[in-house]
Amino acid sequence: MNELMGRRAAARMTQVIRRWRARAAAAVIALGALSSTAMTSTATAADKTGPAVDRNTLVVALDKEIQSLDALVTASGDSQRYAMSIFDTLYGFDAKGNIVPRMATSYTMSSDGLVYTFKLRPNIKFHNGDTFTSADVKYSIERVIDPTTKSTRRPYFAPVIDSVETPDPLTVRIRLKQPDGVFLNKIAGFLFIVGQKYATSLPNAEAFAAAPVGTGPYRVKTNKVGQFLELERFDDFYGDKPAIRTLVFKYIPEPSSRVNAIVSGEVDIAAMIPLAEVARLRQDAALDIITNPVSSPMHVRLYSNVPDSPLAKRDVRLALNYAVDANAIIKGVFHGVGAPMGTFISKYFPYGGDPSVAPYPYDPAKARALLRQAGYPNGFSIKLYDAVGTPKEFAEALAAYWGQVGVKVDINRIDYAAWSRLNNTHKTGPMTTTQFTNAIYDPIHPVAGSFSKEGAWSDYYNSEVEALLKQLDTTTGAEARGALFRKIGKILHDDASAVLVTELFNVFAKKKGLTWEVQQGSGFLNFRKVAWH
């Protein structure tokens, strides 16, 4: 009987995958017709390599709206789209993820690892003309730590920072409660500097988000909510001036419309190219296609710390993992652009990934047995949140697989901005599709954010994980940190803390006439050195 049920389930999933592919093929045909029309009526492929507007302007198509322009408050996946343009940090990451000085010229660390002293670069200006000083660094840190700000960066700084001192306008001394082996990475990835004088003149954080002022190479010119964000070059920027004068982020959430915009030449770069389109667009002589791993698991976050939820039971979480054929989803939904994951820590991090931990195999019979063992012989009903921007077939596939073992799924697919507001306040339960892109080139970001007791997006608790995270606070060096992260990854795997499906790759299409180096292994969009050639 179980074998017969398994064959029936496999047949049903084959039908689902065929439908996905049919829809994808139809989209390709339709888009091909659109692009052919555009080419014959407007321009040749060679012409499409030129600017959408002019050589002083770059138009970038984004897959989702920017939720908030306050880079110290909003989720990193949101701020990564604009933060490197509008704001700056004491230290930052170059295009390959190496830590480099920016608003600071140097730093020293005390022998006990508890005091970091930064020397600041003189004569840096904010977009409104105010002069940058150590007081702004102190304010920015205290703003993050203040719980009323509701900063998603707070869990990374509040537990470790004891005090911030400003001996003079160009010196900042940060005292820690305990050593933090990745503190400089946090400074580089999270601490975008805002001006004390300007921010405190406003009534609240929302007012700052509506009219942000930073020290980055671009400043906000026009923010048309839901439509586009226009930035203009800040000519008083202390560093190398961008070659592009105007930077426009255009929101085109519908995938086929976004593809048609880059194919027709309406935009110069298109982010988050649908994976079904990658092979076709590679044949377009006017375009370059860039595939970038973002050190991120595409997964389902489970609210396992809710006592009366089925997800509080490990056997249920295991069942959800065994019920899903990750390889089939990667092939059918992600068009082969992906890789199954055994642990939450991506293999594209510089350390911490563990290839010896195998992904859960597809075993629906075992999933049904685990559900019976957990007290759910007939399964149960559950809601799954899903944000626009994630392929809708992903949630559909999960629901189809889980339905085969008796778990009936109600998919609640909502706008990304609405989803993000709910997600940042732990209201996307009992489970949600999600990702967690690399922001600081150390696994502490996704692990602490998703699985520590105080994590900004954590709905999970495990005392063993907490103990290892505490060890990481005082551990430095890639080898030592990597060993601890591998232990954490194995615990999270064995506890079925999430439903892991695939490594995530962001795919961009750009015009060949454009020079642009993507920020490697990260979700950051870096347009500091983009130029037409």
Side-chain angles (χ1 to χ4, degrees), residues 273 277-278 281-283 287-291 507-510 512:
I273 291 296
E277 295 295 323
V278 171
L281 293 184
R282 287 192 190 281
Q283 305 306 311
L287 302 176
D288 289 322
I289 306 302
I290 304 169
T291 302
V507 182
F508 302 89
K510 76 170 183 68
K512 284 189 179 293

Side-chain angles (χ1 to χ4, degrees), residues 179-202:
D180 183 346
V182 74
F183 186 68
L184 194 61
N185 294 65
K186 294 177 182 178
I187 290 289
F190 291 144
L191 191 64
F192 297 101
I193 303 301
V194 302
Q196 179 184 26
K197 182 180 177 182
Y198 175 72
T200 55
S201 72
L202 302 174

Side-chain angles (χ1 to χ4, degrees), residues 31-41 263:
L31 285 167
L34 283 169
S35 60
S36 296
T37 301
M39 287 178 64
T40 56
S41 63
V263 168

Side-chain angles (χ1 to χ4, degrees), residues 83-84 87-107 118 121 183-193 238 439-441 519 522 524 526 528:
M84 291 183 75
F87 298 98
D88 213 347
T89 51
L90 301 183
Y91 272 69
F93 298 110
D94 67 12
K96 292 180 172 55
N98 301 305
I99 295 180
V100 293
R102 288 216 174 122
M103 296 175 73
T105 57
S106 65
Y107 83 97
F118 293 89
R121 196 178 301 275
F183 186 68
L184 194 61
N185 294 65
K186 294 177 182 178
I187 290 289
F190 291 144
L191 191 64
F192 297 101
I193 303 301
Y238 70 91
I440 63 171
Y441 293 88
Q519 188 74 20
S522 166
F524 278 114
N526 185 350
R528 294 186 175 212

Side-chain angles (χ1 to χ4, degrees), residues 324-337:
V324 171
D325 189 341
N327 284 301
I329 291 178
I330 291 169
K331 184 178 180 180
V333 175
F334 294 96
H335 299 270
V337 184

Side-chain angles (χ1 to χ4, degrees), residues 72-73 134-151 153-155 157-158 161-166 172-175 183 187 190-196 199-200:
L72 288 182
V73 173
S134 57
D136 300 306
V137 180
K138 177 179 170 68
Y139 172 75
S140 298
I141 292 173
E142 292 175 347
R143 186 171 184 262
V144 168
I145 291 175
D146 183 355
T148 63
T149 306
K150 298 179 181 179
S151 171
R153 276 70 165 164
R154 187 175 188 275
F157 291 110
I161 292 182
D162 182 51
S163 64
V164 184
E165 302 167 4
T166 54
V172 176
R173 186 175 298 125
I174 305 173
R175 296 185 180 274
F183 186 68
I187 290 289
F190 291 144
L191 191 64
F192 297 101
I193 303 301
V194 302
Q196 179 184 26
T200 55

